[in-house]
Amino acid sequence: KQWRWSVCGRGLVALAGAVAVAVAAPVSAQTPRPAVTAGWQDGFFVGSDDGAYRLTLGTVLQADGRFDVNDPPATTGTFALRKVRPVMAARVARYFDMRLVPDFGGGTRVLQDAYVDARFSDALRVRVGKDKAPLGYELLIGDPFVLFTERSLASSLVPNRDVGVQVLGDLKPGRVTYSAGVMNGVPDGTSSTTDVDSNGGKTLVGRVVVHPFTTKGKVLDGFGLHLGASRGHEEGALPSFRTSIGQTWFSYDRTTTAAGLHTRVTPAAMYYVKAFGMFAEYVRSTQQVRRTSLVDVDNHGWDVTAAYVLTGEAVTERGVRPAHPFDPTAHQWGAVQGDR
């Protein structure tokens, strides 16, 4: 016997629409319908005033200039489109969220995100599809909000995007956030490309973020702790570790393959207060590999990142919101941030 399951975003839209029609039918004609609003918040949005329906269109665009200071240069100097990602997100009938993010950077076509959320409550959401594996702290910070343009090399030791099922939510709003899932499993620093599993093994992955301190019943968001972990069985090709411009700085012998248990753990701490923000993360990845015999290979790395906004705006995990927009004609230059 073969068992298969699938979730179709179009089907959820149709179902949500049918539910909305069925619920709305008995309502008196005198009941006002929600107004439709549009504007800009992390992208152009249009939706109903009550928040039940919303469509957001945005983009992530990163252009690089890559030039070697060596003489003769070891690499070819070039301009490059690092990321070209249209972002489409929608909420339907209040309880269903969807996200679709293709990427055309580097002249290729890759599906980055494609998932559907069913929202049962703030404490429980079920996500099905392709998304970032809930493990690395820095990797899970969105592209528009990460402090540096490129993430640290420590993030090369955690999986990027994978296909599976997740549960996530806020157990105590502002204090405890969790994510946990069953994923196909991908090697360190890589994303699923074919979006199907290459072997029968699956990977359990999850993380929890805690903001432990409160004062007068109010959560102090400045300090937090993160712990992520994964465990699964992987077989096949091992990754090569590369810099942001694709230069390989470590690769396994071509006859060496993944051949068994793969575990990861990544504790992190973060602190954001007013114009200052920082986080530190440690990543350890242990993989069973086979060449002439079966051995455990341990890779580990860490990073510390800090930022200060010279113009005084607050630093958060959701980036910096300038007090004044970028408007040269009004002599307004947005926010100025320094990172290290």
Side-chain angles (χ1 to χ4, degrees), residues 94-96 117-127 167-168:
R94 193 182 303 276
Y95 299 109
F96 300 98
D117 275 7
R119 305 174 64 93
F120 296 94
S121 68
D122 290 340
L124 178 60
R125 285 183 285 157
V126 177
R127 177 170 298 175
V167 292
L168 59 158

Side-chain angles (χ1 to χ4, degrees), residues 140-151:
L140 286 167
I141 300 175
D143 288 327
F145 313 119
V146 68
L147 294 178
F148 284 97
T149 305
E150 299 291 346
R151 291 170 173 82

